[in-house]
Structure formats: structure tokens, C-alpha cells
Amino acid sequence: MRSLWMAGIVATMGATSMAAQDIKLPLKSGSVRFLVLGDAGTGDREQFDVANQMLRYGRRFPFTFAIMLGDNIYGSERPQDFERKFMQPYRALLDADVEFNAALGNHDDPNQRYFKPFNLGGNRYRTFKKGNVRFFVIDSNYLDPAQMKWLEQELSQSGSDWKIAYFHHPLYTTARRGPEVELRAMLEPLFVKHGVDVVFTGHEHIYERLTPQKGIYHFTVGGAAKLRKGDTRADPSIAARYDRDRSFLLAEIAGDTLYFQAVTRTGAVVDKGSLVRREARTAPAAANGSAAAPAKSP
Amino acid sequence: MLRPLDFYRRTTVAIASAALVVGTACKNEDTKPPAVDPTETVFTDFANRVDKYMQLRKSIVDTVGDLDPTKSQAEITVRSTTLANGLIAARAQAKPGDIFTPEFSALIATLIKEEYKRRSISVQETRGDQQDELPDFKPTVNQMYPTTYPLATFPATLLPLLPSLPEQLEYRVVQHYLVLRDVEANVILDFIPNAVPM
């Protein structure tokens, strides 16, 4: 049955009517290029559809790594679940040596930190650097004093041009569950103090890009497999939103600018733009973005 | 604007310890006030019980081995299960109160309830929402946490108020229970009922 399903995916890849891969990113020499996905680990058809779209875009925008925003595996976490909900959907990307860097979500067993393809290195939280960008991977499910102390230390020591934090729970969102205000109270002061430029989160199964909050850009990218249709709403804090289908984000950092493009399960571009890192900003409104297909409320 | 967390912890512990002192004094009016802060005694005792568990845990880990990052999820599962089975066997006689003693439980339950009272309705509702996807089960000592259900996000501003734990252990909220869990083994070590307002 599984082999027939896989054969079906291959067969439909050419036949399915999907939008041509419309790259809105500059593909500058030496840029840091990555994929952003959240709440992916269902193993269902939609996850495979999104994964196939990531592969198609990856052939024209060759990203070298991915950041996973948690809920990497839903339900049981037996070996066969890791195979069905991660290895199989992303096989082609893994074979292309795309490095997956996972954060833990509330559906994730913390023992996922030992699963080598997630690159947590046995830790619940970690930091890593790509070019002039330092990423801080936070475990927002269990923000204990030890992690907070680690985070403050790492943020203060980082000399990287860009500081990007990612974790599972959004500090700002219009989704019905609302933002995680307790996490915001703990994390935002540190982020502001130490010049974090961008925060990526998942948990809400939608796409949102916010206007800068205390100078920090926030993206919710939680629709790599799950979807809550109609869960976003218009708000002055929202620069772009999409909740009609699954989605993921492509990002490219070149110098002081981060370029981004949100793509749906069918390959449509629903948001694109650029933003300038905090220290390099000279004007108050520094994000230039346009939602290619503004979300409509039901 | 939030006051420093240490202020809230000291205030809440002071309230809880005052209740403990008054209760102790009322037991026997001829007894002189205790020379030692009873709260400190309870927390020191808790730390000692955690240490004792960690020593036992180490002896099991020395047998099953440490786990390094691996591509094999099967290896992770086997190791976790082996560790859990070893711990459960070694603590076959464990019962509620062995780590979360009644005195400790009373202090912590008071601390948690006082902390909840300080939070806005929206925060309390969010905390309640975090329980939505959890199974409706009653924890028992040596129970494996159900693997098909998520672990509720721990309230971020509550966690710093609780006594610190080694990284191998964690607190979790399950409905109105505060649970002590071994992370790698996924075993519930102890719990406090009616600790968390719902």
C-alpha cells in the first residue's frame, strides 16, 4: 500500500496542476538560504504535498538548511512514525543534504533531541551559526531558569550581524488560541535587550507576518501539514496573513536584508518582501512586503 | 509591569510558611516557636529526596548506558524503555509522597494557587487551554506518561517559582495535578493532586 502511495506521488508530480515555481528571492551570491516549516509531522497526504512543493522550489532556490518550528511528529513516536512523518516526506530534501534544525513543540517528546536528523545534539535548546546569522533554538514548552540563563548568555555573547530566534509558541498572533503572553513576558525583554531581529514560531496552523513589535519581526509559519482555515483575522499588527491552505516560507539573507516568500501547498506565493536587520535600520518603517494573495475571512 | 520573579516567590513562600508556622504553633500552645524556618526544612528535605532519586537513576544509567544522538529512533525508544523499566523495578515500592511529601505538597499547592490569583483572566484561560489536548487520566507513581498525547506547555512565569530540578527531571501540569516526571524515561515519579486551579 505504501509503495503504491509513493508511486502515486511521483506520478502526480508532473500531472498535478500546480503554480509554476515563482521565485521572488534575489538569489544573491553567498547569501544564507533556508526553508521555514512548522507543525509538519502528520504523515498525511497534505504533508507530502507541501514537501513536494518544497522540493520543487528548492530546485530553483537551493536552500541548504531548514528550521522546524516544533510539532515535528504528531501522535505516537515509534520508529515507524519517524519514518512515515519525517523521513519519507522529506526524503528528497534529506538526500540533497538539506540540514533540518528542529525546535521542540508541545506534541514532541523531548527525546527527539537525540534523533540525529533533527540536529538538536541531545539538547532541548541550542544555537548555531550560518554565515552572518546566529540562530537561537528555544524550547518554549519548558522555559526553566537554566534555559533562560543560557539564552541571556548566548545572546549577549553573539557578535553576529543577525540574531534570529525560533521556537514553537507565538508571542504575537491573531489565531483564536491567542498569543503566549507569559512567554512574551519572559522572552521579549531579552530579545529587545540583545537585538534579536526576527522570531519564527509555529503552533498556530496558519501563516502570519506581523508589523515590527518592539523592533522585532515575527512570523508564524505553522501550516506545513496542519491547517486551521479562517483562524487569522485582520488587525493593525498583521502585515500579511494566510489561512486557506497549508504553507511554508523560504528565506534568504544577504548582507543587512532578509528576503522572504510564503508559498502554499499548491505553489502559490501568498506573501513576499524584505526586511532590514535592526542595527542597520535608518528609517522607522523598514519592512517592504506585499501579500500576493491577501487572506479573506470566511 | 511584572515585578522581579524573586519578589513573587519570596512573597508566596512567606505566605505559605506563615500558614505552616501558625499551624504548627496552634498544635501545641506550650511549644516554643521553631528555631529553624520550616519552609527551608521542607525544601531541603525535597532536595535531598531528589538527590536520592538521582543517585538511584545514575545506578540504572550506568547499567543501560548513556544515549548519544543517533539516526536510529529505534535505539532511542529501546533506551528510553530500558531506562524506564529499570527505574520502575528499582522503585517498585514507591508511592505518592515519597518525593512530594505532604508538607512539600501543601507548600507548593499554596504557592501555585497564590501565583494563579495574581494572573489575569486571559492568562488563566490560556493555561486552561493548554490542557485541552491532554488525556483525562489520573497519574500514578511509576506510570508511563501516555505517549500518544502531548505534554502541556508549562506556565512560563510559574516555573521559576518552583524549586529547581536536575535537567533529567521536570514538572508538568496535568489537569489539576502537578506531576514530577523523568524526561528520558517518561516515567511519572510523583504527583500532587489539586495543586493547580482548573
Side-chain angles (χ1 to χ4, degrees), chain A residues 156-275:
Chain A
S156 66
Q157 286 174 355
S158 171
S160 294
D161 294 337
W162 285 87
K163 294 190 180 88
I164 294 180
Y166 68 91
F167 44 94
H168 189 56
H169 299 84
L171 307 188
Y172 294 93
T173 181
T174 64
R176 62 182 163 88
R177 285 193 286 200
E180 294 284 341
V181 294
E182 289 189 71
L183 283 174
R184 187 199 299 170
M186 305 282 286
L187 292 173
E188 191 172 59
L190 276 188
F191 291 168
V192 171
K193 178 181 174 185
H194 295 292
V196 168
D197 301 288
V198 182
V199 170
F200 291 106
T201 56
H203 191 54
E204 302 302 341
H205 305 146
I206 52 166
Y207 171 78
E208 280 181 328
R209 172 169 60 90
L210 277 84
T211 56
Q213 303 298 312
K214 297 192 180 171
I216 301 171
Y217 288 96
H218 292 258
F219 291 79
T220 298
V221 190
K226 292 232 177 192
L227 173 68
R228 269 210 197 107
K229 272 189 184 173
D231 204 24
T232 67
R233 56 183 172 84
D235 187 87
S237 67
I238 297 296
R241 59 192 178 98
Y242 182 73
D243 59 11
R244 310 312 295 170
D245 201 347
R246 282 82 177 161
S247 61
F248 60 95
L249 188 81
L250 299 170
E252 176 178 1
I253 296 177
D256 294 331
T257 306
L258 184 153
Y259 306 87
F260 56 87
Q261 177 176 354
V263 182
T264 71
R265 184 183 58 88
T266 57
V269 177
V270 293
D271 188 24
K272 64 186 190 312
S274 63
L275 55 94

Side-chain angles (χ1 to χ4, degrees), chain B residues 130-157:
Chain B
Q130 286 164 350
Q131 298 290 317
D132 276 354
E133 292 175 289
L134 291 201
D136 187 14
F137 75 97
K138 179 184 171 185
T140 57
V141 172
N142 281 344
Q143 177 185 18
M144 304 283 289
Y145 189 95
T147 56
T148 55
Y149 289 97
L151 293 158
T153 305
F154 201 96
T157 47

Side-chain angles (χ1 to χ4, degrees), chain B:
Chain B
M1 181 177 163
L2 290 177
R3 292 192 183 206
L5 289 171
D6 189 52
F7 166 82
Y8 287 121
R9 183 175 182 179
R10 285 188 278 112
T11 304
T12 306
V13 168
I15 293 170
S17 62
L20 189 58
V21 169
V22 169
T24 307
C26 286
K27 259 188 172 178
N28 184 350
E29 292 176 358
D30 295 332
T31 307
K32 291 180 183 176
V36 178
D37 178 2
T39 305
E40 191 179 326
T41 303
V42 171
F43 284 157
T44 301
D45 177 66
F46 172 72
N48 290 339
R49 288 170 188 264
V50 168
D51 280 346
K52 190 176 169 187
Y53 171 78
M54 292 303 294
Q55 286 167 23
L56 170 69
R57 189 184 193 278
K58 184 178 182 309
S59 69
I60 307 294
V61 170
D62 287 345
T63 305
V64 306
D66 283 319
L67 183 60
D68 291 324
T70 170
K71 284 185 182 176
S72 167
Q73 178 58 26
E75 197 176 316
I76 298 169
T77 302
V78 165
R79 199 273 186 177
S80 174
T81 304
T82 306
L83 178 61
N85 290 341
L87 288 166
I88 291 169
R91 297 181 76 236
Q93 306 304 318
K95 58 189 184 307
D98 282 354
I99 302 176
F100 285 164
T101 62
E103 295 79 13
F104 179 84
S105 298
L107 274 176
I108 291 300
T110 302
L111 184 153
I112 293 173
K113 285 172 180 128
E114 289 299 315
E115 195 275 344
Y116 265 68
K117 280 183 196 169
R118 288 196 296 273
R119 297 295 166 222
S120 66
I121 297 296
S122 66
V123 166
Q124 293 184 37
E125 285 175 353
T126 300
R127 291 182 179 183
D129 289 345
Q130 286 164 350
Q131 298 290 317
D132 276 354
E133 292 175 289
L134 291 201
D136 187 14
F137 75 97
K138 179 184 171 185
T140 57
V141 172
N142 281 344
Q143 177 185 18
M144 304 283 289
Y145 189 95
T147 56
T148 55
Y149 289 97
L151 293 158
T153 305
F154 201 96
T157 47
L158 172 61
L159 189 51
L161 302 183
L162 301 179
S164 62
L165 293 171
E167 64 175 1
Q168 295 87 350
L169 307 184
E170 64 179 15
Y171 300 106
R172 286 289 176 175
V173 172
V174 177
Q175 310 301 341
H176 61 84
Y177 297 92
L178 181 73
V179 164
L180 181 67
R181 180 176 167 268
D182 187 299
V183 180
E184 283 185 35
N186 191 32
V187 173
I188 294 173
L189 304 178
D190 209 340
F191 59 90
I192 304 173
N194 299 313
V196 182
M198 290 297 295

Side-chain angles (χ1 to χ4, degrees), chain A residues 7-269:
Chain A
I9 287 176
V10 172
T12 57
M13 272 178 72
T16 304
S17 170
M18 291 190 178
Q21 288 73 57
D22 188 9
I23 301 296
K24 305 292 185 187
L25 304 162
L27 287 161
K28 297 199 175 196
S29 172
S31 61
V32 175
R33 301 173 192 170
F34 57 102
L35 166 69
V36 184
L37 66 153
D39 303 69
T42 59
D44 60 18
R45 184 193 174 92
E46 286 77 12
Q47 183 185 11
F48 279 88
D49 284 347
V50 175
N52 288 338
Q53 205 57 250
M54 291 169 180
L55 181 64
R56 291 194 186 97
Y57 267 83
R59 289 188 177 127
R60 297 189 56 195
F61 175 75
F63 46 84
T64 56
F65 66 100
I67 62 173
M68 298 177 75
L69 307 176
D71 285 0
N72 310 307
I73 305 286
Y74 283 97
S76 57
E77 296 198 11
R78 305 159 301 173
Q80 56 265 49
D81 294 302
F82 277 72
E83 183 65 25
R84 184 168 65 90
K85 300 169 186 176
F86 176 72
M87 299 301 292
Q88 283 179 14
Y90 306 117
R91 176 85 60 201
L93 294 176
L94 290 162
D95 287 346
D97 293 328
V98 173
E99 176 188 284
F100 282 77
N101 297 280
L104 295 172
N106 58 304
H107 282 265
D108 296 322
D109 181 345
N111 283 339
Q112 281 184 19
R113 59 196 156 142
Y114 295 111
F115 185 57
K116 216 167 185 180
F118 285 169
N119 284 289
L120 278 163
N123 304 301
R124 298 174 80 148
Y125 43 87
R126 63 180 281 248
T127 179
F128 64 95
K129 195 173 172 193
K130 298 288 184 186
N132 63 339
V133 185
R134 181 159 284 279
F135 292 88
F136 301 86
V137 190
I138 297 168
D139 179 0
S140 58
N141 308 285
Y142 199 77
L143 202 63
D144 62 5
Q147 185 179 183
M148 289 296 292
K149 184 178 174 186
W150 165 87
L151 182 61
E152 167 115 58
Q153 190 174 332
E154 291 294 340
L155 283 169
S156 66
Q157 286 174 355
S158 171
S160 294
D161 294 337
W162 285 87
K163 294 190 180 88
I164 294 180
Y166 68 91
F167 44 94
H168 189 56
H169 299 84
L171 307 188
Y172 294 93
T173 181
T174 64
R176 62 182 163 88
R177 285 193 286 200
E180 294 284 341
V181 294
E182 289 189 71
L183 283 174
R184 187 199 299 170
M186 305 282 286
L187 292 173
E188 191 172 59
L190 276 188
F191 291 168
V192 171
K193 178 181 174 185
H194 295 292
V196 168
D197 301 288
V198 182
V199 170
F200 291 106
T201 56
H203 191 54
E204 302 302 341
H205 305 146
I206 52 166
Y207 171 78
E208 280 181 328
R209 172 169 60 90
L210 277 84
T211 56
Q213 303 298 312
K214 297 192 180 171
I216 301 171
Y217 288 96
H218 292 258
F219 291 79
T220 298
V221 190
K226 292 232 177 192
L227 173 68
R228 269 210 197 107
K229 272 189 184 173
D231 204 24
T232 67
R233 56 183 172 84
D235 187 87
S237 67
I238 297 296
R241 59 192 178 98
Y242 182 73
D243 59 11
R244 310 312 295 170
D245 201 347
R246 282 82 177 161
S247 61
F248 60 95
L249 188 81
L250 299 170
E252 176 178 1
I253 296 177
D256 294 331
T257 306
L258 184 153
Y259 306 87
F260 56 87
Q261 177 176 354
V263 182
T264 71
R265 184 183 58 88
T266 57
V269 177

